[in-house]
Amino acid sequence: MGERLAEEVLHMIKQRPNLRKISFVAHSVGGVVARYAIGRLFRPPRRDDADVVLSKLSVEESKGTIGGLEPLNFITVATPHLGSRGNKQVPFLFGVTAFEKAAGRVVHWIFRRTGQHLFLVDNDNGKPPLLKRMVKDYGEYYFMSALRSFKRRVAYSNVGYDHIVGWCTSSIRRNNELPKWEDCLNEKYPHIVYEEHCNGYDIEQCEPIVVEDDGSDKLEEELVTGLSRVSWEKVDVSFHTSRLRFSAHSVIQVKDRYMHSEGADVIQHMIDHFLI
């Protein structure tokens, strides 16, 4: 899907030669697909051999481009950035270890390769799982350079009642980093209950974090640490008082303008903060 999205973006750029800027807004697994696509589309900064030095390049060129365009907003909504394996990342499995392990074994029967990628059980010719590859620049794919090139990166997450994507995986947090939230912070956005700006940091600056001797935990820690090397705006959303709270995964993106209209304030928040 990521390759197909990259090709569609390039086709769109060719059809509209006056385009100068680009942003991505993606829901659920679409956020992972978009991260793959930008890694494919990223063009490193130009460095001409003799006449042009880096200090003379435009700001956009010095950071690299996405398909030749200036990257602005990269926004994900209820996206499983850390995958769906273990640690209650898929809430409808109730955090039962046996259920989570069983899901990892059979997911490819239902969701094919996408399921394997999300449960971190893919093994393409001995390569690490795709999500692990995507927290660094890997081969000809500039996954993290592409993500870093955007002026802002935003992760909208459901704090509860999202039975498909858990709070940790969508907000790129460890379980002990989940914040305490209040019912409403702003009358204009009644369903937004917490906001924070997380600065990026180098892995070398991090104190080592001890995790249980479990492959799933260690791999999840690698994903959190890798994605935290860039800054993120994290916006936490709650529909716990909504009559459609059990459909939070759809309400947060207003999948249906009539049925899921309670999520309109989240979309308005996105619009109000969108860089153009």
Side-chain angles (χ1 to χ4, degrees), residues 58-123:
S58 68
V59 174
E60 293 79 13
E61 290 173 326
S62 67
K63 292 183 178 180
T65 64
I66 301 296
L69 305 181
E70 176 189 359
L72 292 184
N73 308 273
F74 189 87
I75 300 172
T76 64
V77 183
T79 287
H81 289 287
L82 309 181
S84 303
R85 185 175 77 175
N87 294 327
K88 301 181 181 179
Q89 302 294 29
V90 183
F92 75 78
L93 296 176
F94 307 110
V96 178
T97 302
F99 290 174
E100 292 173 339
K101 288 183 177 180
R105 295 190 188 101
V106 304
V107 67
H108 63 283
W109 294 348
I110 306 171
F111 299 110
R112 307 282 181 179
R113 286 179 58 80
T114 299
Q116 291 181 319
H117 292 151
L118 291 177
F119 277 81
L120 309 172
V121 294
D122 54 305
N123 181 12

Side-chain angles (χ1 to χ4, degrees), residues 41-223:
L41 294 167
F42 181 75
R43 297 179 184 175
R46 290 205 317 252
R47 288 181 174 86
D48 295 343
D49 293 335
D51 299 329
V52 180
V53 296
L54 187 61
S55 61
K56 292 183 179 180
L57 295 175
S58 68
V59 174
E60 293 79 13
E61 290 173 326
S62 67
K63 292 183 178 180
T65 64
I66 301 296
L69 305 181
E70 176 189 359
L72 292 184
N73 308 273
F74 189 87
I75 300 172
T76 64
V77 183
T79 287
H81 289 287
L82 309 181
S84 303
R85 185 175 77 175
N87 294 327
K88 301 181 181 179
Q89 302 294 29
V90 183
F92 75 78
L93 296 176
F94 307 110
V96 178
T97 302
F99 290 174
E100 292 173 339
K101 288 183 177 180
R105 295 190 188 101
V106 304
V107 67
H108 63 283
W109 294 348
I110 306 171
F111 299 110
R112 307 282 181 179
R113 286 179 58 80
T114 299
Q116 291 181 319
H117 292 151
L118 291 177
F119 277 81
L120 309 172
V121 294
D122 54 305
N123 181 12
D124 297 333
N125 300 318
K127 295 178 182 177
L130 180 60
L131 291 186
K132 181 177 179 179
R133 282 178 265 156
M134 287 172 59
V135 297
K136 62 180 72 175
D137 291 346
Y138 191 93
E140 60 182 3
Y141 294 89
Y142 296 90
F143 296 121
M144 286 306 294
S145 291
L147 199 55
R148 186 177 290 109
S149 70
F150 284 83
K151 289 190 174 179
R152 59 191 295 259
R153 290 154 296 280
V154 192
Y156 285 84
S157 309
N158 280 310
V159 304
Y161 291 103
D162 187 328
H163 300 295
I164 299 174
V165 178
W167 190 9
C168 285
T169 188
S170 58
S171 65
I172 316 175
R173 293 186 180 107
R174 302 169 183 89
N175 190 60
N176 62 4
E177 295 174 336
L178 295 176
K180 294 181 179 180
W181 52 272
E182 300 177 3
D183 278 354
C184 180
L185 299 177
N186 188 320
E187 290 184 2
K188 186 177 181 181
Y189 315 116
H191 295 108
I192 291 176
V193 296
Y194 195 86
E195 294 184 69
E196 70 173 329
H197 186 283
C198 300
N199 293 324
Y201 54 78
D202 292 329
I203 291 179
E204 292 76 11
Q205 297 174 340
C206 302
E207 295 183 3
I209 296 176
V210 178
V211 297
E212 298 178 7
D213 188 16
D214 178 279
S216 174
D217 289 334
K218 289 182 178 179
L219 186 49
E220 182 178 308
E221 178 59 32
E222 289 184 54
L223 302 183

